[in-house]
Amino acid sequence: MSKRFLSGFLVLLAIQLVAVSQAGAQGTMSFGEEEVEEEASPEKTGPFADLLAEGKKLYEQKKYDEASLMFYKVVSSEDVAAEAYVPEAEYELGKTLLRMELYQGALSYFGRIVDAGESHPYYLPTLRGLVLLTDVIPGDPSLMQRLAPYASYYPQDVPEKYRDQFAYLVGRHLYQQMNNAEALRLLTAVSKRSEHYGKAHYIAAITHVANYEAKPAVQEFKTVLSHLRSKEESTALTPEEQELKELTTFGMARVFYSTGDYGTSLKYYSNIDRSSVRWPQALFESSWAFFQTDDYNKALGNLHSLNSPFFADAYFPEGPILSAVIFFYNCKYERVRYVLEDFDYYYAPLKDDVQAVLTDYQDPTAMFEWLEKLEGGSAEFDPQVYQILDAALDDAQVERKFDLVDTIRKEKEKIGTMPDAWQSSPLGTSLLQESELALSFAVSDAGTVAQQRLQRVVRELEELIMQKEEITFEVARAEQGQIEADIRAGMNVQGNVTDSPEIKISDEQMYWTFDGEYWRDELGAYVFNINSECSR
């Protein structure tokens, strides 16, 4: 058996970035005349021109609710004479609703303009409003779908003050849509002065990873690390920047692992601070690198650390499989069976438990509502399964989906605080209906993403169970002397076969035999005393 057991170890570089902060968004909203470049048009007269003029006057007076009603009268009119004024009224209504913090409503009217295409006279000015909306509804897929068509206008037609934000957000969206070439064009154009610079180059790096381009991926990761280290010299990194630094370090480690440079990979894994919440993940992944270099003692030592009570909440079902493979390559067949029995006891039943959740909550909305109850503590569930659910749903995309639901709920509440006359108006009624529809879609979307994550957990556990069965089969064959040549080639037949293998200790280390009690400061420093029995 060659190291085909590694088929289960798939390095997934997920974007775990904190969603764009909503703080201060209102302070950035500006639709001044200096930003709207429009061709001069002849002065228009008539009732609809008067409605537009009155709406603009109320807008300038910050009487946004009254202004919105004026613009809506133009937009909703079936009078043929209103057609010439509808494009401007749509744009003005979108602006006004944005000021009123009715973001789904603003997106609806800006969306009409985008859907109309380049022929709409306010197509380019609308780009500004869409960018501003990303500050307050960053996880809305409909918003990003409306913003993405403007990529062909970058950079020449995108206002300079919005270029970096646009390039980062649309570049990230295009990466998620697997339009990697256009994503890289935008992401690498983000200027160094932008707050999005580091995140943009991180996503550029994983875009190269998706293209199986290790060298440019490493270069982009290095750009991020250099940028953050430079900032760190003058000021402390923000929590978001510290998270980005860790993710980038993981990215470097994984890329070098994928290219077979295990020594460099281990160097980057060792750069994850032990105080980090990601340190257990670094211990686990570095175990594979130690395995690949035949340093079985350190690989098992890391896995031993992860078995400590300090990591009781950690979820690493591949751990027992890796341990079993290491013992197999050292012909310690009884230990292989013992480890796989442990896997059967702790992890194999979880597949059925997670599948039961998917079966019980096949409707995405029902799944979302159940997860909300579970998170709020109003639903009881097996702690070990809850641990898996928490691990499976802990990523930036899921977080953005759930945050969007909260944002739309707040918007519905906002509508309920408006004056009664406004709420009962055709505009108020239509916006309430649109927000309810948007909420329904957002809940369903969040539930669907959650289902996809749990389905992935089931598939991964199924694959690990198959690997367990394969290892068990090969153990039986090995004991009967029927080991295939490629399997024999990977075995540690030249290893130490004494009963008491010698552990090399440096001058800065002390050797203590594990007595069954874990100490926090010893985590990550355990070394296993494994001796090969293959030549016996």
Side-chain angles (χ1 to χ4, degrees), residues 114 328 400 462:
V114 177
F328 179 88
R400 285 195 294 269
E462 287 175 341

Side-chain angles (χ1 to χ4, degrees), residues 237-262:
L237 297 180
T238 66
E240 183 181 6
E241 289 169 336
Q242 184 60 42
E243 181 181 27
L244 179 60
K245 182 180 177 182
E246 289 184 0
L247 290 172
T248 305
T249 303
F250 265 103
M252 290 286 278
R254 291 162 174 168
V255 168
F256 282 113
Y257 181 95
S258 70
T259 62
D261 188 349
Y262 304 117

Side-chain angles (χ1 to χ4, degrees), residues 3 257 262-263 266 283-304 322-323 325-327 329-330 490 492 495 502-504 509 524-531:
K3 294 185 178 179
Y257 181 95
Y262 304 117
L266 285 166
L283 283 179
F284 173 70
E285 293 186 18
S286 63
S287 297
W288 286 95
F290 282 127
F291 168 70
Q292 292 285 14
T293 58
D294 296 333
D295 196 340
Y296 301 136
N297 288 337
K298 289 185 178 178
L300 289 170
N302 281 2
L303 295 172
H304 181 72
L322 175 56
S323 295
V325 172
I326 292 174
F327 287 127
Y329 281 126
N330 287 274
N492 187 20
E502 181 182 354
I503 300 296
K504 295 180 180 180
Q509 294 176 316
Y526 290 110
V527 178
F528 225 82
N529 280 4
I530 186 171
N531 57 314

Side-chain angles (χ1 to χ4, degrees), residues 101-144:
E101 300 180 359
L102 300 180
Y103 305 123
Q104 290 298 321
L107 176 58
S108 175
Y109 284 96
F110 286 147
R112 293 187 184 189
I113 296 173
V114 177
D115 293 343
E118 299 174 347
S119 62
H120 197 292
Y122 288 85
Y123 183 78
L124 280 177
T126 294
L127 167 61
R128 195 168 299 107
L130 294 173
V131 173
L132 292 175
L133 281 174
T134 63
D135 286 334
V136 286
I137 47 175
D140 195 321
S142 178
L143 170 57
M144 294 312 305

